[in-house]
Amino acid sequence: MADKLPRPTHYVPIQVAAHGRLSASSSTDQNDTTLKFSLTNGHSAASANPTLSQSVMQTTNAFQIDAFKIKTLKKAPRYPPVTKETLSELNLCRIIHNIQVRCDVSFNDDLHLEPTEGKQNNKRRDAEAYWAALTAELQVYRLMALVDQSSETHSAVDETFTPRLPVMFTCLRELLMALVPERDHDAVAEHLDVDFLMQQVLKGVLDIAGLARWLAQLLKHHCAPMRDHLADEMAACIWHGSLLGHPEQITQGLKKLFALLEIMKLDVANNQIRSLRICFIVDTEQFQREYFQRRMQGGSFDTFSARRWYEMKANDLRDSSLFWGLDQKNPEKRAMKGIQPLLYGLIDDLTLLDSLKQYPSTFFYDRGRLMDLRNDLRSLVYLRICRHVLNLVIGGGSDQDWTPPSVCEALQLRIFGMLDSSIRCETEGFSGMTEDTGSMNDDACKIWLSNLDIISLEILRAAFSTWDKKKGSVGTAAGIPAPAFSDKNTIHTLSKLICEPASRQHIISEVRDEIKDFASTQVLRFNKMSAFDIREEQGKRRARRSSETPRFQNLACRQLPCSIPDSEDIAHRLAHLVILNWRVWADLCYLHDSEALPET
């Protein structure tokens, strides 16, 4: 899955001088708890915006708005969730200098930007409050057009709220001016004359359905054909709301309108990223070096802890027989001895599955990739535990490898296929640089523990199936004993190996050594290649792996791809990450001033 980059979350307010005045009073009937109010205009608004400087609109019995809506009108944000300012980070100049895009483009086959709606609670809450307030405001305008403005007013206590509709029209006009070609700007200015639109709203004669139809036609001329149905849905929603007099449905249509405008801007931005992808990859090392050097000089990026981390890992390797600097038979390894602490240290930290690990700040923009690697490492270790338990079941407690590779692969496919989607959902959105990592580790472990009964049944099924086939061909006398474990024993063994680090340490060490061997070989290969060549080779490898991925039938009987984590794939991805990180940070941080490793 391609990485998802967040849409900007800050909003620059647009200065609008007009203010509505809300006069609220209690009903004369003590059993009626609704508030009755009228919309009037403040004196300051009259001079700032002639559209809103109409005669005072008095309270009538028709104006029944509950207290919650009044609170929403007063407290909700003034500006829609999508504005020209919020989408400014999708402009080409901002994309070119977006460090997250420049870091991610070397690793993702189909990097694209997506909105973060639903992932940021405050942002989603503000958007919902805005649309709720706009619905209440539309209801006010509708009632204003129905009541007799010359009737006597009730006594009321004035409260104020800021009208959102003029601001919304202004934001809509600015967005359209930025998205459509210049030849259509005159039509946009004509149809979205805010003063004229507000005059029609106050008099109750605005043909909002006709405006929606025009907007749909305009957007369908400039959006991708696959987005046409969104424009039609928006126009139909507003038309139905206008026909039935339902402000909620009109607001839903306006919400669809702004969502479509955001999608159109995203489509343009993603197309630009695809066009510039090769240039970004070729220039990624130089761009990152210059970017981080400026930040370090400005004091906004601290590398002290990363340097200390590297020195600590280098000291751990200095006297080790694995230290490349001591390899007299391989001059290439000796020449690359500086990268070994980075590679081995990162592998050691990633395989600490039970502790929260703060990765070096030099990997800050790679934290999503580190999270994926850690998730796959954990799954790989747990799958190895399942294979280990399968051998124990078949061997009657003996750790001898009784199981054919095809049976192990089938077992891992079934188990991982059942649990992978749950694990991905639990860990999605967590950052490897935050304290939430601990929660993520607990959640992933709980998923395995909560499914121990299903996993144990799969292990026993594979064990008896394997024993039955062996018995029919060579018999028990050939050394294949009958499975001796019960379901309870299997669950107990699984739980112990998953929950107790000491019990599974030999499996983690085995996985760690495999990944170090594979990754060392790949780092030495990648060192001779450019960033673009590495990226192309990784893309071809992922394509081959995807084509060979088996499919697992889940409980809903849908065939789903299920890519089982393996040490070679993890090593390839880790080597790619480490070699680019080394090229950017070796002189800026790790080997700054003097090398951490002595000459040999």
Side-chain angles (χ1 to χ4, degrees):
M1 175 181 298
D3 279 10
K4 304 177 181 179
L5 305 181
R7 182 169 57 79
T9 58
H10 61 278
Y11 297 92
V12 179
I14 301 173
Q15 298 299 326
V16 178
H19 293 277
R21 178 166 293 278
L22 187 65
S23 300
S25 66
S26 299
S27 171
T28 56
D29 184 357
Q30 294 182 356
N31 295 323
D32 185 4
T33 58
T34 60
L35 295 178
K36 301 177 181 180
F37 65 95
S38 65
L39 186 71
T40 66
N41 298 293
H43 298 292
S44 60
S47 59
N49 193 332
T51 300
L52 297 180
S53 58
Q54 309 295 331
S55 59
V56 174
M57 299 167 188
Q58 300 172 341
T59 305
T60 71
N61 290 333
F63 278 71
Q64 297 187 2
I65 304 296
D66 60 58
F68 177 77
K69 289 183 179 180
I70 291 179
K71 181 179 179 181
T72 301
L73 282 168
K74 295 172 62 178
K75 301 294 185 181
R78 287 186 61 196
Y79 305 99
V82 179
T83 67
K84 181 181 177 182
E85 285 72 23
T86 64
L87 297 185
S88 63
E89 290 190 9
L90 299 178
N91 294 337
L92 180 58
C93 61
R94 301 287 293 273
I95 292 175
I96 291 175
H97 294 91
N98 187 318
I99 184 60
Q100 190 68 66
V101 171
R102 302 300 293 268
C103 290
D104 290 348
V105 73
S106 295
F107 299 95
N108 299 99
D109 297 320
D110 185 26
L111 178 67
H112 61 280
L113 303 167
E114 289 187 359
T116 57
E117 183 177 355
K119 293 184 179 179
Q120 295 182 1
N121 292 332
N122 291 337
K123 179 180 172 183
R124 183 174 67 251
R125 186 165 52 249
D126 287 345
E128 291 173 352
Y130 173 82
W131 294 118
L134 187 64
T135 300
E137 186 171 330
L138 291 176
Q139 184 179 358
V140 170
Y141 289 131
R142 178 172 176 270
L143 294 174
M144 285 168 52
L146 296 176
V147 300
D148 181 6
Q149 296 297 323
S150 63
S151 62
E152 184 180 355
T153 183
H154 294 283
S155 59
V157 177
D158 288 344
E159 295 187 26
T160 60
F161 79 97
T162 304
R164 290 164 183 80
L165 196 59
V167 180
M168 189 212 70
F169 282 139
T170 301
C171 292
L172 177 59
R173 183 178 62 188
E174 291 178 346
L175 284 169
L176 289 174
M177 290 291 192
L179 287 172
V180 303
E182 188 174 354
R183 65 175 182 270
D184 291 322
H185 284 189
D186 289 342
V188 172
E190 178 184 349
H191 284 83
L192 291 175
D193 183 337
V194 179
D195 289 347
F196 183 56
L197 289 174
M198 289 308 302
Q199 289 177 12
Q200 296 179 75
V201 168
L202 295 174
K203 293 181 180 296
V205 296
L206 175 63
D207 182 12
I208 194 168
L211 180 62
R213 287 194 298 271
W214 173 79
L215 286 168
Q217 291 299 319
L218 175 68
L219 296 179
K220 286 163 67 174
H221 274 93
H222 301 294
C223 69
M226 62 184 297
R227 310 298 186 190
D228 285 356
H229 73 282
L230 298 177
D232 292 333
E233 290 174 6
M234 175 272 298
C237 193
I238 293 178
W239 179 81
H240 282 293
S242 176
L243 180 66
L244 301 175
H246 290 170
E248 296 85 357
Q249 202 162 0
I250 295 176
T251 301
Q252 192 63 28
L254 293 172
K255 185 177 180 181
K256 291 178 181 291
L257 171 60
F258 279 85
L260 175 57
L261 295 173
E262 182 182 43
I263 290 173
M264 290 176 61
K265 184 64 175 179
L266 282 167
D267 287 342
V268 172
N270 289 328
N271 183 63
Q272 292 170 335
I273 291 176
R274 284 191 292 271
S275 301
L276 296 172
R277 171 180 166 272
I278 295 178
C279 296
F280 283 169
I281 295 173
V282 171
D283 187 48
T284 184
E285 296 169 12
Q286 181 67 21
F287 176 85
Q288 290 187 51
R289 277 195 297 267
E290 294 176 354
Y291 173 85
F292 289 117
Q293 188 172 26
R294 289 195 302 269
R295 289 193 59 181
M296 290 169 63
Q297 291 173 349
S300 61
F301 199 94
D302 182 24
T303 59
F304 177 77
S305 60
R307 168 125 177 114
R308 297 298 301 169
W309 176 89
Y310 177 83
E311 291 176 347
M312 179 184 67
K313 299 299 181 181
N315 290 332
D316 292 342
L317 273 173
R318 181 179 290 115
D319 300 324
S320 171
S321 59
L322 299 175
F323 179 39
W324 292 353
L326 301 176
D327 192 344
Q328 300 298 327
K329 298 180 181 180
N330 193 332
E332 186 178 7
K333 278 190 174 182
R334 291 204 309 273
M336 287 294 295
K337 66 181 185 296
I339 200 175
Q340 191 186 13
L342 183 64
L343 176 63
Y344 280 26
L346 198 57
I347 294 174
D348 289 340
D349 288 352
L350 287 171
T351 50
L352 294 175
L353 304 183
D354 302 293
S355 61
L356 175 64
K357 198 63 185 177
Q358 190 82 358
Y359 299 111
S361 59
T362 49
F363 286 97
F364 180 80
Y365 292 98
D366 297 307
R367 59 195 184 277
R369 283 174 284 280
L370 291 175
M371 181 60 60
D372 290 339
L373 286 167
R374 190 183 179 106
N375 291 340
D376 288 345
L377 271 167
R378 182 187 302 102
S379 297
L380 178 59
V381 169
Y382 288 165
L383 290 173
R384 292 285 181 91
I385 288 175
C386 294
R387 188 176 73 177
H388 175 70
V389 174
L390 176 60
N391 286 326
L392 292 176
V393 172
I394 294 178
S398 172
D399 196 20
Q400 184 177 346
D401 192 355
W402 302 94
T403 313
S406 59
V407 175
C408 288
E409 183 177 351
L411 174 65
Q412 292 176 343
L413 174 63
R414 291 181 64 84
I415 293 174
F416 190 69
M418 290 186 293
L419 301 183
D420 180 50
S421 58
S422 298
I423 295 173
R424 297 288 178 186
C425 290
E426 289 291 341
T427 59
E428 185 180 7
F430 282 101
S431 169
M433 300 296 292
T434 69
E435 295 179 359
D436 287 334
T437 309
S439 174
M440 179 273 297
N441 290 336
D442 293 340
D443 291 338
C445 183
K446 287 177 181 177
I447 290 173
W448 283 83
L449 292 175
S450 63
N451 289 278
L452 285 181
D453 52 347
I454 299 176
I455 297 172
S456 64
L457 288 175
E458 288 293 337
I459 292 175
L460 290 173
R461 185 198 61 80
F464 278 97
S465 175
T466 302
W467 179 79
D468 194 48
K469 291 179 181 178
K470 290 292 184 180
K471 179 182 177 182
S473 59
V474 298
T476 56
I480 307 295
F485 271 44
S486 67
D487 187 30
K488 290 184 178 180
N489 289 338
T490 305
I491 292 177
H492 174 74
T493 305
L494 280 171
S495 178
K496 181 178 179 181
L497 288 170
I498 291 176
C499 295
E500 299 180 8
S503 301
R504 66 167 185 260
Q505 189 57 45
H506 65 288
I507 297 177
I508 294 179
S509 298
E510 175 187 309
V511 170
R512 183 190 298 122
D513 292 342
E514 286 181 12
I515 292 176
K516 285 183 178 180
D517 289 341
F518 282 126
S520 298
T521 302
Q522 290 306 314
V523 162
L524 295 176
R525 284 187 64 251
F526 288 163
N527 186 52
K528 304 174 185 177
M529 303 165 63
S530 67
F532 180 77
D533 291 337
I534 297 173
R535 174 65 186 78
E536 289 299 291
E537 179 175 306
Q538 290 287 80
K540 294 176 182 177
R541 183 188 62 80
R542 277 192 288 270
R544 288 194 304 269
R545 179 175 168 81
S546 178
S547 65
E548 297 169 357
T549 296
R551 303 187 73 82
F552 169 77
Q553 183 169 317
N554 68 356
L555 297 179
C557 298
R558 291 189 301 168
Q559 294 290 332
L560 300 176
C562 179
S563 181
I564 301 175
D566 65 80
S567 53
E568 187 173 356
D569 174 67
I570 293 173
H572 272 85
R573 290 153 55 195
L574 189 59
H576 187 189
L577 177 64
V578 167
I579 195 68
L580 292 187
N581 184 274
W582 175 256
R583 290 176 179 177
V584 171
W585 289 104
D587 294 331
L588 291 178
C589 175
Y590 303 132
L591 304 180
H592 185 61
D593 294 333
S594 61
E595 290 196 12
L597 291 173
E599 294 292 338
T600 57

